[in-house]
Amino acid sequence: MSSSLRPPAQRPCDSCPYRRDVPAGIWASEEYAKLRRYDAETPHQPTGLLQCHQSDADSAVRRVCAGWAGCHESKGLLALRLAVLDASIDAATYQAVVEYVSPVPLFPTGSDAAAHGEAGIDAPAEDARRLINKITRTRNDLVQ
């Protein structure tokens, strides 16, 4: 079975919730809540890989979130281990995630990234609103 997810991009996308320079409030609270779950001890983490938010579910090119790969100690991620076992990713993608180093500053934890993002949900700043509009034009699966 070929892998369905590609390795992380060279740099986290411009709207990655793990990036320190992304405006607060661009994603829904449910999306930010997902980030915290990967901070848990390995047996208590989600079993699914975090995919890049720039791709919708129908996209032919889906990849592992670069911010997720750069933020977390990859060898401790339950989802990464399981993805190799069930062939959701191949060995090369696994290795790319484990070795990934972000060229841009990321939050040190998913909880820190989530807290930053959630702080702007009720009143996103102008730069956040511009990015939200860009995302909704790019993603086919988001309600407009």
Side-chain angles (χ1 to χ4, degrees):
M1 177 179 183
S2 64
S3 70
S4 59
L5 287 178
R6 294 177 58 197
Q10 289 184 346
R11 62 187 296 116
C13 63
D14 291 340
S15 62
C16 182
Y18 284 100
R19 285 180 65 141
R20 287 183 172 270
D21 62 349
V22 169
I26 63 167
W27 297 105
S29 59
E30 304 85 50
E31 294 302 311
Y32 291 119
K34 291 177 186 177
L35 308 182
R36 285 189 174 89
R37 296 180 193 129
Y38 292 100
D39 290 345
E41 293 296 319
T42 303
H44 304 289
Q45 293 173 6
T47 58
L49 294 168
L50 191 68
Q51 297 177 35
C52 178
H53 283 85
Q54 286 296 325
S55 303
D56 59 45
D58 297 329
S59 176
V61 178
R62 295 183 358 235
R63 54 175 73 245
V64 174
C65 172
W68 179 77
C71 174
H72 297 284
E73 176 59 43
S74 299
K75 290 183 179 180
L77 289 169
L78 178 62
L80 190 60
R81 295 175 185 184
L82 293 175
V84 172
L85 293 174
D86 74 8
S88 297
I89 61 172
D90 58 23
T93 298
Y94 172 85
Q95 199 59 38
V97 172
V98 169
E99 295 174 356
Y100 185 80
V101 176
S102 176
V104 297
L106 302 175
F107 287 99
T109 68
S111 293
D112 291 338
H116 166 76
E118 289 168 339
I121 288 177
D122 291 334
E126 180 60 33
D127 57 345
R129 289 194 301 272
R130 278 194 302 273
L131 197 48
I132 291 166
N133 288 334
K134 179 181 176 184
I135 294 164
T136 55
R137 286 191 309 272
T138 304
R139 294 265 309 259
N140 296 324
D141 61 333
L142 299 175
V143 178
Q144 296 186 18

